[in-house]
Structure formats: structure tokens, C-alpha cells
Amino acid sequence: MDVEKVSKAIAFLRKRAGYTQKDLAERLGVSDKAVSKWERGLGLPDISCLRKLSVLLDTDTDSLLTGDVIHHDSGWHGVLLLDQTNTGVDLRTMVYDKPMVSFLLGYFLLVGIKKVLVVCSEKEIAYMQSEFGDGSCLGIQLYYSSGSIHEALKEYPSVEECTNFMIVYGRTFIYGVDQTRFFQKAMINRDRLTVLSLPRGNKPYRQKLSFDNDRKIICEADTEELNTQYDYYEIPVVFCPRNLLEAVVNIIADGSIADNSVMRDQYLYTEVLDRGFVEMTMDTWGDILSVASFVKIVEQACGMNLYSLEEIAWRRGFISTEQLQKLAEKQNNAAYASYLKRLCGNS
């Protein structure tokens, strides 16, 4: 372990998150002198606070202890790209205790992406604007478009600042331990197109994804295919360099990215999520009932609140404790308001 690299990583990520040494120390329950020592390379954080430190600095413990901050810059932007369904299911649909949009926006917040372009229907945009406005209540920036993705990108004011995009192009629920870390691993190689994949489980209708030892996606018939215990499939989250963006959105409109031979042969890799991860579609009312049941079981068993945007924004340093308190006071849901207020009391 390179102590100097760790110290520089802590200092860089603290400043990026907008904390002073005193702010960070208070949230960790340590002295500001301890934080100062870490950043000067005179010591390392105690293992008991590493987990909380990594959450506050929007990283994972592995990256923190190796001093890896390659994916911790502001070049990443988000795109939430949703087609219209004929089932009536959309971003406003309640999934147990929160609207579907909380899960989809949550993916971007978890990895620290603060600028997100949302391409959806006009009705969904009206709802989003009434609930989140421009996103500043969560410390982020939201842009909306009801046109095609190509039109939306032409009008997107921050496109010139962007080097890479995280694109969520389906109504999908994802949940698992250390989810942020797996997403961030997919962001490390910025010149690659990286899709997320999971074991197929009881989804035989999902096409098998074949890849080699470097996790490069290949044809199933290729002799270099990596033999795995499980069959994997592609899920609708992709990490894309800007120079490949136009090609990627064209492919998404037609179907699977992994099926495209040009992308597969040159640029396409996968980040494999661990066993125990769950991915469920949210396209039909039957899907919604299944996801809602899962969320209810997890929340009631664990005493946590899945995909609370206010909590994620607060833990990522996008909003202050005072701002979190104000958001809690505006809540109509008494139980959820109490949950947010308890977070403020534990800060």
C-alpha cells in the first residue's frame, strides 16, 4: 500500500466533495487533526471508519486504499433514455414506497454523476419538473427532452464539457451489495464501451453474453470464450466514451449493444456483477408488483430505505444536513419524513 497515494486520494476526493477537513471529521466522528494526518501521509484511517469514509467521498474502499482516483473526475454525464410504453407504466409509477424515477436517477447519484439528461414523454417531464425542478434540490442538474435522443443531445447545454456518458436505457431495477463499486469499475477504462452483465438465472429468454479473460465481449463461437459457471446477459446500463455516443444511441434504438458486430469486435467490454445481484424489469404492472414486493421485503427486514434520492445526495455531499432537514420537512409521507430526520440527527 502506497501511503502517499492514499493521502493524495483522500485530499482530492474530500475537496471534490466540498468538505473541509473539519466537516469530514465531524461526519466520521474523528478529530480534524486525524484527517489532516491522513492527508499528509502520517497515518491511515482506522478500519472501523473506512467504509463510511468511502461512502462520504463517493468511492469504494479498494479504490481508496490503492489511491485510485482515475474515475473520480467531472467528465462523466448521465443520460436516462426511456421509450414510451402502452401499459401506462412510467416514471411516475409508484414502486412500493417511491416513484420509479427514484431508482433510475439513483444509479447516477450513486457514482457521483451530477448532470443528467432525461429523455422521456412530455407527461413524465411535467412530473419531473414538479418534483425535482432543475435538480438543484438534490445538488444535481437535470435537463429534459421529449424529442429524439439525437435532438436532445444537440440541445444539451453541457455536451461540450463531457468526455464520457453513463446511459440507462430501460426501466430496470438493480440491487446488490457494493453496487457503487461495480459501477465505478466499469468507469475506469474510459476509452471502452462497457456494459453491465449478470447471471441469467431464470431468464432464458435473455441472450447469452460471451466474453474472454479480459472481459471483452466476443462471438459465442470464438475459441477464446471464457468458460464460466453461469450464463451471463446484458442489462440496460452502458458506460460510453463521447466519440462512440452517436453510434451507441443508434444501436440502442435497434436492440442489443452486444449484438452489434462492429462494437463487439472493437470496443465492447463487460463488467460482471456478482452473484446475489438482482435485476428486474419494470415495464408492466406485473413487473411493478414483483419489484415492489422485493423492495418491501428488503426495507422491512433491514430497516433501510432503498434508493432514497435525498439520502444518496446527502451521503455523497451534494446537499448539506440543513438541506436534508428542509427536504424532510416538505415530505407528505410521515414515515419517510421521519426516516430523513433521523439521518439528520445521526450526522
Side-chain angles (χ1 to χ4, degrees):
M1 185 186 304
D2 189 326
V3 176
E4 185 177 354
K5 284 184 69 176
V6 176
S7 67
K8 289 180 178 179
I10 293 173
F12 171 83
L13 295 173
R14 173 184 63 77
K15 293 172 184 175
R16 191 203 62 165
Y19 297 127
T20 64
Q21 290 184 342
K22 184 178 180 181
D23 292 334
L24 184 59
E26 288 177 351
R27 292 204 174 191
L28 289 170
V30 300
S31 68
D32 53 350
K33 291 182 179 179
V35 176
S36 176
K37 285 183 178 180
W38 301 340
E39 295 188 0
R40 287 182 290 148
L42 301 179
L44 291 171
D46 188 86
I47 193 169
S48 61
C49 70
L50 265 179
R51 179 67 176 170
K52 188 172 184 179
L53 178 62
S54 65
V55 171
L56 289 171
L57 298 184
D58 188 24
T59 187
D60 57 87
T61 53
D62 290 345
S63 296
L64 195 62
L65 293 177
T66 58
D68 173 23
V69 295
I70 190 170
H71 53 275
H72 296 292
D73 59 48
S74 59
W76 284 90
H77 289 210
V79 175
L80 177 56
L81 176 58
L82 299 176
D83 57 3
Q84 296 187 39
T85 69
N86 57 11
T87 63
V89 172
D90 61 23
L91 291 176
R92 302 168 294 176
T93 301
M94 292 300 294
V95 183
Y96 181 51
D97 59 353
K98 57 181 61 68
M100 183 193 298
V101 68
S102 293
F103 302 98
L104 302 178
L105 274 186
Y107 305 145
F108 301 108
L109 269 65
L110 283 173
V111 294
I113 292 177
K114 302 178 72 173
K115 295 183 179 181
V116 182
L117 171 64
V118 182
V119 184
C120 57
S121 70
E122 291 183 0
K123 287 185 178 180
E124 289 172 305
I125 289 175
Y127 165 75
M128 293 284 291
Q129 290 176 328
S130 68
E131 290 294 311
F132 306 109
D134 63 358
S136 56
C137 60
L138 296 172
I140 62 176
Q141 295 179 35
L142 296 174
Y143 305 90
Y144 307 103
S145 176
S146 60
S148 70
I149 180 60
H150 298 287
E151 293 170 348
L153 289 170
K154 287 179 182 178
E155 299 169 357
Y156 182 48
S158 300
V159 71
E160 296 302 322
E161 306 169 12
C162 182
T163 59
N164 291 76
F165 286 89
M166 174 183 174
I167 307 173
V168 177
Y169 56 97
R171 298 169 183 82
T172 185
F173 170 78
I174 307 170
Y175 178 75
V177 177
D178 274 348
Q179 183 171 319
T180 302
R181 178 168 66 89
F182 283 101
F183 279 24
Q184 288 176 332
K185 284 171 68 178
M187 300 166 72
I188 292 176
N189 295 299
R190 301 173 65 101
D191 59 336
R192 296 178 176 179
L193 187 62
T194 304
V195 297
L196 297 179
S197 59
L198 271 173
R200 282 196 296 181
N202 64 349
K203 300 183 177 71
Y205 56 88
R206 296 288 186 91
Q207 183 175 344
K208 179 184 175 182
L209 200 65
S210 301
F211 48 90
D212 62 20
N213 286 294
D214 294 325
R215 303 269 173 93
K216 187 178 187 301
I217 296 177
I218 56 178
C219 294
E220 186 174 352
D222 198 306
T223 56
E224 295 181 358
E225 177 187 353
L226 179 64
N227 291 321
T228 56
Q229 184 178 359
Y230 303 94
D231 289 341
Y232 289 85
Y233 70 91
E234 169 189 352
I235 62 178
V237 179
V238 60
F239 300 87
C240 171
R242 181 182 167 191
N243 65 303
L244 296 178
L245 179 63
E246 184 174 352
V248 169
V249 295
N250 285 333
I251 295 168
I252 288 172
D254 294 332
S256 168
I257 297 175
D259 285 344
N260 185 275
S261 60
V262 175
M263 288 296 174
R264 185 179 62 231
D265 293 344
Q266 297 185 47
Y267 308 105
L268 191 55
Y269 291 77
T270 185
E271 182 58 44
V272 178
L273 303 182
D274 273 354
R275 279 174 38 193
F277 268 81
V278 173
E279 186 264 341
M280 306 166 71
T281 58
M282 297 187 288
D283 291 325
T284 69
W285 289 108
D287 295 339
I288 296 300
L289 287 174
S290 295
V291 176
S293 297
F294 179 87
V295 172
K296 179 181 178 180
I297 290 170
V298 173
E299 291 193 352
Q300 292 184 349
C302 302
M304 61 194 299
N305 198 293
L306 301 190
Y307 287 101
S308 163
L309 293 180
E310 296 88 349
E311 179 179 3
I312 298 172
W314 175 68
R315 291 191 184 280
R316 291 292 177 266
F318 294 174
I319 59 175
S320 66
T321 302
E322 291 73 23
Q323 289 172 302
L324 180 64
Q325 179 72 37
K326 290 179 181 178
L327 290 174
E329 292 169 356
K330 291 180 180 179
Q331 280 293 325
N332 295 322
N333 184 322
Y336 189 51
S338 296
Y339 176 81
L340 296 179
K341 288 177 180 177
R342 286 198 300 273
L343 293 177
C344 298
N346 293 333
S347 64

